[in-house]
């Protein structure tokens, strides 16, 4: 592992220094291994590891390229890891979401378009008062994703998407649905939309905080 770690660090240094830029093709394996003072086997392992976390893209028959390095792409690995969390740590992930999501919602208040708000309301109307858990999970995911996307910060959007993807939300909502918390949550969604429509950043922040905190408190009693 130490040799592979060294190979990873050397490739990373090339990318950070600008010797390799997003979209660049890596030199041939034999040439790169010689240039970096590595064995071809350790280089191969490093490339495999970096491709798993979307730093490199291995294209069969074409070569290995540096990816776009866009935050959304790089943070996909976060969502993958979060899906493996234990039920007793879900509250810790919610606590992080409670810090970040209200800030993103407040940022969205000055940016989100009227048409986007209309779409959020139509989605809530279509959901009805007694949605199935699967429908609620899908709606909740898209509801918050669209609001956070409107904040205009791709890193923040990707972080929140990774912290609370479909698997995590499904676990949360299965617990809350048993407590008949659905109607309260839908009311909180509508309050968030109303604050956004009023362009009231602080009200939007407050309702987003209330919403995540109520989910957190409801879940805490089921664990």
């Amino acid at each position: 592992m130490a040799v592979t770690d060294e190979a990873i660090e050397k490739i990373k240094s090339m990318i950070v220094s600008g010797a390799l830029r997003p979209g660049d093709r890596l030199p041939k394996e034999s040439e790169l291994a010689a240039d970096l003072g590595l064995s071809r086997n350790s280089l191969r392992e490093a490339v495999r590891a970096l491709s798993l976390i979307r730093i490199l893209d291995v294209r069969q028959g074409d070569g290995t390229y540096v990816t776009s390095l866009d935050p959304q792409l790089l943070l996909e690995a976060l969502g993958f890891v979060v899906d493996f969390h234990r039920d007793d740590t879900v509250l810790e992930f919610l606590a992080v979401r409670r810090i970040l999501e209200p800030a993103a919602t407040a940022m969205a208040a000055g940016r989100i378009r009227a048409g986007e708000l209309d779409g959020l309301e139509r989605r809530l109307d279509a959901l009805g008062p007694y949605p199935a858990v699967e429908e609620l999970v899908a709606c909740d995911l898209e509801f918050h994703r669209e609001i956070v996307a409107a904040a205009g910060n791709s890193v923040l959007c990707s972080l929140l998407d990774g912290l609370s993807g479909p698997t995590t939300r499904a676990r949360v909502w299965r617990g809350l649905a048993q407590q008949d918390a659905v109607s309260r949550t839908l009311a909180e969604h509508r309050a968030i939309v109303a604050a956004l429509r009023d362009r009231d950043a602080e009200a939007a922040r407050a309702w987003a905080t209330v919403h995540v905190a109520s989910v957190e408190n409801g879940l805490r009693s089921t664990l």
Side-chain angles (χ1 to χ4, degrees):
M1 283 299 298
V3 177
T4 302
D5 288 345
E6 180 186 0
I8 289 172
E9 283 300 317
K10 288 185 174 181
I11 297 173
K12 175 184 171 183
S13 295
M14 293 179 70
I15 295 172
V16 172
S17 69
L20 286 173
R21 298 182 178 277
D24 282 355
R25 180 177 177 174
L26 271 65
K28 292 181 179 179
E29 184 181 273
S30 57
E31 296 174 6
L32 185 58
D35 288 344
L36 297 179
L38 301 168
S39 70
R40 294 180 67 172
N41 186 59
S42 62
L43 177 61
R44 199 172 295 127
E45 290 298 321
V47 168
R48 184 177 295 114
L50 290 170
S51 67
L52 288 174
I53 58 173
R54 304 302 185 91
I55 302 295
L56 298 178
D57 179 19
V58 180
R59 305 175 189 174
Q60 294 299 324
D62 186 15
T64 299
Y65 293 79
V66 180
T67 66
S68 65
L69 303 180
D70 287 338
Q72 184 174 2
L73 182 67
L74 298 181
L75 288 169
E76 281 182 8
L78 173 63
F80 182 77
V81 172
V82 168
D83 283 346
F84 287 95
H85 72 74
R86 305 184 310 274
D87 285 345
D88 60 351
T89 62
V90 67
L91 289 172
E92 295 182 16
F93 287 104
L94 276 170
V96 176
R97 184 181 160 201
R98 179 158 44 87
I99 295 169
L100 297 178
E101 193 159 299
T105 305
M107 290 168 63
R111 294 171 172 266
I112 195 166
R113 298 189 296 271
E116 292 173 315
L117 291 168
D118 293 341
L120 292 174
E121 288 188 334
R122 284 194 297 271
R123 183 173 287 114
L124 291 174
D125 290 341
L127 199 59
Y130 306 109
V133 171
E134 292 76 13
E135 293 175 317
L136 185 59
V137 168
C139 179
D140 187 64
L141 182 65
E142 288 305 315
F143 179 86
H144 292 287
R145 181 180 283 159
E146 288 184 27
I147 291 173
V148 172
N153 187 309
S154 61
V155 175
L156 185 56
C157 185
S158 298
L159 274 172
L160 282 166
D161 214 28
L163 283 169
S164 192
T167 300
T168 299
R169 288 178 190 269
R171 289 183 181 182
V172 169
W173 283 116
R174 285 193 184 97
L176 292 183
Q178 296 171 0
Q179 296 187 339
D180 195 28
V182 174
S183 59
R184 183 190 68 241
T185 299
L186 294 177
E188 290 165 356
H189 278 183
R190 290 191 181 278
I192 290 171
V193 173
L196 292 172
R197 198 176 285 282
D198 289 341
R199 306 298 175 187
D200 189 333
E202 290 311 308
R205 185 196 307 273
W207 275 113
T209 302
V210 167
H211 175 54
V212 180
S214 66
V215 171
E216 192 177 350
N217 291 335
L219 187 63
R220 183 176 286 110
S221 65
T222 70
L223 296 178

